[in-house]
Amino acid sequence: SQTIHQWPATLVQPVGSPLSLECTVEGTSNPNLYWYRQAAGRGLQLLFYSVGIGQISSEVPQNLSASRPQDRQFILSSKKLLLSDSGFYLCAWSVRPGTQYFGPGTRLTVL
Amino acid sequence: KNQVEQSPQSLIILEGKNCTLQCNYTVSPFSNLRWYKQDTGRGPVSLTIMTFSENTKSNGRYTATLDADTKQSSLHITASQLSDSASYICVVSARNDYKLSFGAGTTVTVRA
């Protein structure tokens, strides 16, 4: 069966510090991978998606970047965090249109 | 533009009571509609999925309906339990599109 992992589960970082969130998927090959951000009381906002190694599409201009160094690994990064980067970050995977499976999420607080 | 709107934004119900959540969408061409349950601080978990030809889908005490003509869906929770307290998100996908359209969610609070 397929599983998706995210870490860390929670993170508190000062403004201006770097960020690295990791997502890995097990039990499937060549998945599409997604990073979402969920602000309090808001819907999920798609940040990045990837259809293959090294292929990243950005949905909104922002302070964040994403990379996919391996088939089942997706990393969300920032060189300098802003207060507005606080939120709940979700990674998801899919192998066919219309179906995505979500990870447990990372709660990021920027102080 | 593909959009998904949910109502109400939040609701409070007493344990054992029923409630219904609404979802309207403008996604086209329609592929499927999912209802997700998201506990606080957790990732969303799929409750039901319906395609164009399906009108009703149940998962235990959760029953989802779909009217593809009016582009409306509802999620009915029967005999609510404290564990039903969560955010319920309506998600619609367009045909052959890997990206999804999300509603903002309805926060349900069940009180004893």
Side-chain angles (χ1 to χ4, degrees), chain B residues 53-75:
Chain B
S53 60
E54 296 175 297
N55 301 119
T56 302
K57 186 70 70 76
S58 291
N59 178 358
R61 294 179 295 100
Y62 301 102
T63 300
T65 66
L66 174 65
D67 186 333
D69 292 330
T70 61
K71 297 186 178 181
Q72 296 179 327
S73 176
S74 67
L75 180 70

Side-chain angles (χ1 to χ4, degrees), chain A residues 57-103:
Chain A
S57 296
S58 175
E59 288 295 296
V60 292
Q62 58 207 316
N63 183 45
L64 302 169
S65 62
S67 62
R68 186 171 177 174
Q70 300 180 41
D71 180 46
R72 290 169 288 178
Q73 184 184 31
F74 206 21
I75 297 172
L76 184 68
S77 304
S78 174
K79 293 182 179 178
K80 290 184 177 181
L81 283 169
L82 306 173
L83 287 174
S84 58
D85 291 325
S86 293
F88 191 57
Y89 289 84
L90 286 160
C91 180
W93 68 273
S94 70
V95 291
R96 60 178 183 272
T99 300
Q100 291 184 19
Y101 302 93
F102 292 88

Side-chain angles (χ1 to χ4, degrees), chain B residues 31-70:
Chain B
S31 176
N32 64 60
L33 184 149
R34 281 182 185 265
W35 282 94
Y36 283 87
K37 178 186 179 187
Q38 184 178 20
D39 293 318
T40 301
R42 308 287 294 275
V45 175
S46 181
L47 291 175
T48 62
I49 179 171
M50 288 182 293
T51 59
F52 184 87
S53 60
E54 296 175 297
N55 301 119
T56 302
K57 186 70 70 76
S58 291
N59 178 358
R61 294 179 295 100
Y62 301 102
T63 300
T65 66
L66 174 65
D67 186 333
D69 292 330
T70 61

